[in-house]
Amino acid sequence: MEQLLTTYCGTEQDGQESGTSAVKAGVAYDMGSGGIARARAFAREFLSDAQSTHGLVMTSRAMDDAQLVVSELATNVCKYAPGPCLLDLEAGDGTLTITMWDSGSVLPSAAPADPTRAGQHGLEIVLMVCQSFEVRREPVGKRVRVEISLLDDAQGGPADPTSW
């Protein structure tokens, strides 16, 4: 059974010059049954609190995208790296950073396009909605870092997309 190991939250100044503050929170799980839903709920509660308590501006698209990305990353942990994982969220200056660490050593990669393939589209979905994606090997396991725009441009899409 999935167990919540620890959580933290807080704010900190991003920089002396900008005067903006970042809202941060993290949680550690021993991933198991229900872990994906709990991780998604943690992201939803974090963003709701960032809006209501800290006045962070974000669109409903950003809220949905964040939950989708967290869900997909947590699914990969359950499927490919069962065991402990860390989920860190940081929001500020129009961006949400989602970082997921797990103990698995295999780095994720998107499968080649295949319209007949059923499933295994999670990473493709994440890459479509994020502004940046990075994966790094750690002494134990790997760390996946994703950034999502919290704001929309005039056409209703994520503001200021970056190429990677």
Side-chain angles (χ1 to χ4, degrees), residues 29-32 73-86 100-108 140-144:
Y29 292 106
D30 185 9
M31 251 337 170
L73 294 178
T75 297
N76 286 344
V77 171
C78 287
K79 288 174 76 173
Y80 304 112
C85 76
L86 303 173
M100 178 80 76
W101 168 86
D102 65 54
S103 59
S105 61
V106 177
L107 301 182
V140 175
K142 66 184 166 295
R143 189 172 308 269
V144 177

Side-chain angles (χ1 to χ4, degrees), residues 5 7 16 27 29 43 48 51 55 129 141 149 155 157:
L5 300 176
T7 61
Q16 303 297 346
V27 64
Y29 292 106
S48 294
Q51 280 184 307
V129 301
S149 175
Q155 287 76 36

Side-chain angles (χ1 to χ4, degrees), residues 6-7 9 26 36 43-44 46 78 86 93 101-102 106 113 117 124 126-127 149 158 162:
T6 186
T7 61
C9 61
I36 298 165
R44 182 177 51 252
F46 169 80
C78 287
L86 303 173
D93 199 26
W101 168 86
D102 65 54
V106 177
R117 183 178 71 230
E124 294 171 44
V126 169
L127 294 174
S149 175
T162 57

